[in-house]
Amino acid sequence: MMNIMKKPSVLLGALALGLILSSVSAQAANEQYFPLQSYRVGPYAAGGTGFFGGFIDYLQYVNLKEGGVNGVKFTWSECETEYVVEKGVECYERLKKGLNGAPAAATNPLSVGIAYATLERSTADKLPLITINHGRTDSTDGSVFPYVFPLQLNPYSEVSAIINYIGDKSGGLDKLKGKKIVTLFHGSPYGKETNPILELLAKKYGFSLTLLEVPHPGNEQQSQWLNIRRIKPDWVILRGWGVMNPVALKTAQKTGFPADHIIGNIWSNSEEDAAPAGTAAKGFISITTHPSGTNFPVLQDIDKTVLKAGKGNLQDAKRFGTVYYNLGVVNGILNVEAVRVAQAKFGKRPLTGEEVRWGFENIKLDDARLKQLGAYGLVQPLKLSCSDHEGGGAVRFQQWDGKQWKVISDWVQADRKLLRPIIEESSHKYAKEKGITPRDCAKES
Amino acid sequence: MLYRESGQFSTSYLAEGRLFKLYQQRWGFYALLAFAFLAVPYLGNDYWFSAILIPFLVLSLAGLGLNLLTGYAGQISLGSAAFMAVGAFAAYNFQLRIDGMPLLLGFFFGGVTAALVGVVFGLPSLRIKGFYLLVSTLAAQFVVTWVLTQFGWFSNYNSSGVISAPPLVILGHDFSSPAGRYLLTLGVAAALFWFAHNIVHSELGRRWMAVRDMDTAAAVIGIPILQTKLLAFAISSFILGIAGALWAFAYLGTVEPHGFDLSRSFQILFIIIIGGMGSILGNFLGAAFIVLLPILLSNLSATFLAGVVDPGQLENLQKIIFGALIIFFLIKEPAGLARLWQAFRERSRIWPLRF
């Protein structure tokens, strides 16, 4: 039997080496740092490369075009997470201190799991955690979650907007009565998150709702779709993820359900979700918080200043203007805007996470400001506050024409008044569990 | 001959039963414990505690749990992560639903719940062996995750199905700082390693090894197979359950059932295969290899190669190096890193003489 005596000698050597490396730091510069917990390999690489490509390109664009914000340039470094939670946590801890003296502004992991695992750390470290279009619904309540921002759209708003759209299509929300809607959801916490809200809306508007679960990963859906054929619903809401989406579309075609009555949610809305289904995807509708395409001044400008100069981050230039890339750009616009707002209050210098958080809470993007940014139509009007960390809650609907997405609607707003009490109930439960006293938002300036 | 062993004799049964018979080993071990408990909390920083030491300790503990079952009792299992999940969710619920439940008692009951579930999934081991048993423990992996996702009660009807850590307070002391969480993890891990080490050297440990080596022969000499195997499942799952609770509370803070998926089970299995089956030390070595080496590689490449090589390529490069190292070590010593260390010690005993 061996003993435990000298167990870590090998380990200590390795650790010591790492310690030396991590303690290297240089002089503070006039820079603002973005720690990027990116993922470029693994099963979700398509999303990661697109999103972080767009994000980096936008930061690069602001650096090249305006020399940063008020002379404070952006800097960033990447740490590969592979969408794996522990790796994301390790990256968070590694990068949170900033880079060469440039303080970190906010973290943007684009992963639900990593966001959950770093949620309390972010709060303790006073570093904003941005979960654009996803994340924990009740973190919308900024009085309980001061450092978490599910920007633009949380999962509840998502389904509410879809139901509003269906109501619109049927000629008014009162016409929803008696309609049949089936929701096909991914068998995971993410997939189930919106079920209670759908049930609530079904009761409110009087449509009949059937919830069908597709077990992870969802590459076999024959029985679910046979069920759907039996029910003959007016609409199917697809709350999918990854491979589940194209399989759903193909199986729908096989069982004879029309694709143009399937509405995909925010994780079923990319080129990567529709294209693999081939012709079966033609007509498929999905929601999006931002149109794909390059037809916006800001994207044209990025193309000119960054991509044409050979400084773009994308390996495959054809992905410029896709859903994930544009989401990265939108995310970049919002992060940079928060820094800009915060600088107006705290001074033209690199800011701490706490100051950037104030910036996020005071973002106010109206049509005029969006036109200034060249992002009118790309980003929805957004106004955040201490109590509201989501801001928008609007989506547009797009349809797959077999090759690309075509936007088919204007902004459709979620019924946020209806959702707010439910969100607050949940956030207060969390506050009670954790012993948090919610901030008094009336006193925040 | 780095140190002298001569002249040290056991003069009582108590002394003979000692963990470390040489006083050099003993003092070395005490020094190491003192270093880990007293010096590290002052030397380390947030990054070290939260990103390196805590996951390393928790996975060592998880490795220990599986090693008792697989390395000592010879029952292969792929359900380790499921038992961790049971421990984490049970500890959470005990904490939540019983007012004033002390944290460590919550961990203990989490472990006990995991042990019960472990026994249920261990029942097939009485009839099936080897790869077939592997398949039945795989069922645990899927059933547990499914149940925890399906029934909202387990996560207190959290809309996202996640649980988050209760306040980490023991006897009025707050352990929620990174150093505190490290000490909590270290304390629990040290206690369980001591427990496991004693079990392995007890009669039960001998029975496990007898069953592992040949269960028919073990039955013939009067070892109760049913009891022995089920105890292995229970104790293994108990330790895994507590490791799961630590993973959820001391390391991540918030977890979803999906965090304990099949790949975590594989990770734990690799820890004991690379570290060494049937070895206590091997769990640390294996966890160090699996957890720390990729972090080291990633830190090194971030320092020296960032900006030079494309980040995606860099990540793949690290995977290639890591994979190559696994192959190298398994060829060099199929019995694991612990065996390598043992061989090194045997040589250093007689150094500078050869063999």
Side-chain angles (χ1 to χ4, degrees), chain A residues 125-166:
Chain A
D125 296 331
K126 298 190 189 298
L127 190 61
L129 167 66
I130 311 306
T131 56
I132 189 168
N133 287 0
H134 64 282
R136 191 176 169 128
T137 306
D138 52 10
S139 62
T140 304
D141 183 357
S143 63
V144 176
F145 296 89
Y147 283 92
V148 190
F149 292 84
L151 294 178
Q152 296 201 98
L153 189 71
N154 67 38
Y156 287 3
S157 300
E158 204 183 308
V159 283
S160 165
I162 293 177
I163 296 298
N164 285 348
Y165 174 79
I166 294 177

Side-chain angles (χ1 to χ4, degrees), chain A residues 3 5-7 15 19 21 80 82 86-87 90 94 96 116-117 121 189 192-193 429 433-434, chain B residues 20 25 46-48 50 92 149 156 159-160 165 247 251-252 264 281 298-300 315 319 341:
Chain A
N3 68 45
M5 179 184 114
K6 287 172 186 166
K7 88 187 176 201
L15 296 190
L19 199 66
L21 293 175
E80 173 70 38
E82 289 179 49
E86 307 91 83
K87 288 195 162 205
E90 197 265 321
R94 196 196 301 177
K96 72 178 183 189
Y116 278 129
R121 292 164 201 259
K192 298 159 71 87
E193 177 147 12
K429 196 167 92 183
E433 233 175 72
K434 288 292 197 182
Chain B
F20 305 113
Q25 291 178 340
D46 277 15
Y47 175 61
W48 275 92
S50 309
Y92 167 79
T149 324
N156 196 22
S159 57
S160 317
W247 184 264
Y251 175 39
L252 291 180
R264 175 92 49 242
L281 170 71
S298 139
N299 266 308
L300 284 175
E315 184 65 19
K319 283 189 184 307
W341 171 245

